[in-house]
Amino acid sequence: MRNFIAMTDVQNRPYHHGDLRRAIIETALDMLRDDKNWQFTLREVARRAGVSHAAPYKHFPDKAALLVELAMIGFDRLREALAGAKPEAPQSLLEEITPISLAYVAFGTDNPALYRLMFSAEEGRAVGMHLDQRALAVFDVVLDMLGRGQAAGTIRKRPVRGQATAAWALIHGITLLAIDGLLVPEKVGSAPLDAAIATLVDGLAIPQPNT
Amino acid sequence: MRNFIAMTDVQNRPYHHGDLRRAIIETALDMLRDDKNWQFTLREVARRAGVSHAAPYKHFPDKAALLVELAMIGFDRLREALAGAKPEAPQSLLEEITPISLAYVAFGTDNPALYRLMFSAEEGRAVGMHLDQRALAVFDVVLDMLGRGQAAGTIRKRPVRGQATAAWALIHGITLLAIDGLLVPEKVGSAPLDAAIATLVDGLAIPQPNT
DNA sequence: GATACATTGTTGACAGTGGTAACATTGCGA
DNA sequence: TCGCAATGTTACCACTGTCAACAATGTATC
């Protein structure tokens, strides 16, 4: 790779970029970060990368392929975000659910376009994505947490995949509602996120008689 | 309105359609029903309505305006679907939650493109939509159900809007997951929908000591 | 080192899209 | 009846994704 050469410099630039594939992905991620309002054109990516509009086709068969690539990176980052939110020494296992849930929602609201991308994926391509190991790893975080909770006797004895689905659905749903700006107080009250997580915890935890 | 004239008949057709606005909406709804894979072009609507590609602009300022109109119809239909699913004489109030939840998810999976439309709404336009009376009416169904449950002592005493948000988020989330085909058994188990609703009910209901 | 080939760029085209402007036709009220 | 507002049509614009043809470069082989 030719160091010390700004690839976006239109002047004296080598004919071959050298690392265009990575440059395209990073440029696209930048655009996803900026453009909240979800207009994402391949030509704009090429423009920002300082390259002709057809150049990306040498690295991705079509636009959807690039989007899938970006989405997979999103799953990696989401998994990292959840892992980083897991408390060191959780007092009660249930206390683990709240910070992880908040981290999930925060990831969505911090990266709205990327998060939406991870669940868009036209024509059933989403299925393949979500069965990929990198996406399953996110789900495994939830499965693991609930499984340990069942073993510890704090979480209801139910099929753990069903419980994980409930948690996933609720957090996914409220993340999207938050991204779309739909959690307005006059409709959902003053603390919708906390309330939703509280109800989720109540649905998962074995009720304590004294509380 | 000129009766007995098929407006899609290319031959002897009057210059003026007579009821193009309604025709456009119905054609668009048809397209939403057919096209699962979410390509919805204004020109295709015009084509199917047998009219030039610029004609719709005499009735809608732009494409987004038509989409909003369609989404509002979606909210009406969703409210009707939920109302129709409410049992006549519910034994326990909690038993009301399950059929209504199932009806909600069924509406989404039966009308995937329309349901997605109701939550797409580019650039914050969704907020206005969801604060419209026709959309709030859907939420009111949930609020009313939970409020009665609290009064009857079967549902936890918590801010009802927060509980409704939890229910909305979970059902909305699992509806989208179902629409996207993401509820594959190897990931979420064999009965993800029932499991999710069960966890929701547990989170809303006051736990019974004997169960 | 010269040469052939695969890689990776560029340009230019195509069809299709949302949207606007200019124009044509019609309905309807003064 | 006349004139205007409403509602159609056509022609155009900029833009998109995608492809084919061509140009420049890196690289393996003799």
Side-chain angles (χ1 to χ4, degrees):
Chain A
M1 160 141 194
R2 296 174 196 75
N3 299 320
F4 312 116
I5 296 182
M7 292 305 177
T8 53
D9 184 356
V10 182
Q11 305 302 333
N12 51 4
R13 173 172 44 112
Y15 190 86
H16 282 122
H17 183 288
D19 199 14
L20 185 54
R21 184 172 221 275
R22 192 168 310 270
I24 287 175
I25 290 178
E26 284 178 9
T27 304
L29 286 173
D30 282 352
M31 288 177 56
L32 286 182
R33 197 174 300 115
D34 300 342
D35 301 354
K36 162 133 188 115
N37 35 349
W38 181 241
Q39 92 274 30
F40 182 88
T41 71
L42 209 48
R43 288 173 108 103
E44 177 69 18
V45 176
R47 240 172 266 134
R48 292 210 200 184
V51 95
S52 81
H53 64 263
Y57 284 91
K58 300 294 175 175
H59 298 272
F60 303 93
D62 59 2
K63 182 183 176 182
L66 172 58
L67 294 183
V68 169
E69 194 94 14
L70 298 173
M72 299 315 288
I73 294 175
F75 282 112
D76 292 341
R77 295 189 176 177
L78 175 56
R79 182 185 43 74
E80 293 168 10
L82 297 191
K86 189 192 291 190
E88 292 279 335
Q91 309 267 14
S92 82
L93 201 78
L94 288 173
E95 308 256 327
E96 221 175 308
I97 297 179
T98 301
I100 288 190
S101 299
L102 290 174
Y104 190 108
V105 177
F107 176 85
T109 54
D110 288 346
N111 313 279
L114 179 58
Y115 186 80
R116 255 196 279 253
L117 190 60
M118 292 158 60
F119 289 86
S120 72
E122 35 260 274
E123 47 192 306
R125 208 161 185 167
V127 192
M129 269 171 38
H130 283 257
L131 286 182
D132 187 285
Q133 202 53 44
R134 296 158 81 184
L136 288 176
V138 177
F139 200 66
D140 283 341
V141 174
V142 184
L143 282 177
D144 170 67
M145 184 172 62
L146 295 175
R148 283 183 289 122
Q150 284 198 4
T154 56
I155 289 199
R156 300 170 129 103
K157 295 285 195 299
R158 294 252 175 101
V160 69
R161 300 197 105 87
Q163 288 177 320
T165 303
W168 185 28
L170 189 144
I171 299 300
H172 174 56
I174 206 158
T175 299
L176 288 179
L177 293 178
I179 287 176
D180 291 335
L182 261 33
L183 297 180
V184 289
E186 65 187 283
K187 183 165 186 176
V188 298
S190 56
L193 182 51
D194 294 334
I197 294 177
T199 295
L200 173 62
V201 168
D202 284 338
L204 294 172
I206 293 177
Q208 304 298 324
N210 54 341
T211 54
Chain B
M1 162 136 195
R2 298 175 195 73
N3 299 320
F4 312 118
I5 295 182
M7 292 304 178
T8 52
D9 184 357
V10 181
Q11 305 302 332
N12 52 4
R13 175 175 41 114
Y15 190 85
H16 281 121
H17 183 287
D19 200 13
L20 183 54
R21 183 173 222 276
R22 191 168 309 272
I24 286 174
I25 289 177
E26 286 179 7
T27 304
L29 285 173
D30 283 352
M31 287 177 57
L32 286 183
R33 195 174 301 116
D34 300 342
D35 299 355
K36 163 135 187 111
N37 35 350
W38 180 241
Q39 93 272 35
F40 181 88
T41 69
L42 210 46
R43 289 172 110 102
E44 178 67 19
V45 176
R47 239 173 269 134
R48 291 210 201 184
V51 95
S52 81
H53 66 262
Y57 286 91
K58 301 293 176 176
H59 299 274
F60 303 93
D62 59 2
K63 183 183 178 183
L66 171 59
L67 294 183
V68 168
E69 194 93 15
L70 298 173
M72 299 314 291
I73 294 175
F75 282 111
D76 292 341
R77 294 189 177 175
L78 175 56
R79 182 184 44 74
E80 294 167 10
L82 297 192
K86 189 192 292 190
E88 294 276 338
Q91 310 268 13
S92 83
L93 200 74
L94 288 175
E95 308 257 327
E96 221 175 309
I97 296 178
T98 300
I100 290 189
S101 298
L102 290 174
Y104 189 108
V105 177
F107 175 85
T109 52
D110 287 347
N111 312 280
L114 179 59
Y115 186 81
R116 255 197 279 253
L117 191 59
M118 293 159 59
F119 289 86
S120 72
E122 34 261 276
E123 49 190 302
R125 210 161 185 166
V127 192
M129 270 171 37
H130 282 256
L131 287 180
D132 187 286
Q133 201 53 45
R134 298 159 80 183
L136 288 175
V138 177
F139 201 64
D140 284 341
V141 174
V142 184
L143 282 176
D144 170 68
M145 186 172 61
L146 295 176
R148 282 183 290 123
Q150 285 199 1
T154 55
I155 289 199
R156 300 169 128 103
K157 296 286 194 299
R158 292 249 178 104
V160 70
R161 301 196 103 89
Q163 288 178 319
T165 304
W168 186 27
L170 189 144
I171 300 300
H172 173 55
I174 206 160
T175 299
L176 288 179
L177 293 179
I179 288 176
D180 292 334
L182 261 33
L183 298 180
V184 290
E186 66 186 279
K187 182 166 187 175
V188 298
S190 57
L193 182 51
D194 295 335
I197 293 177
T199 295
L200 172 62
V201 168
D202 284 337
L204 295 171
I206 292 177
Q208 304 298 322
N210 54 341
T211 54

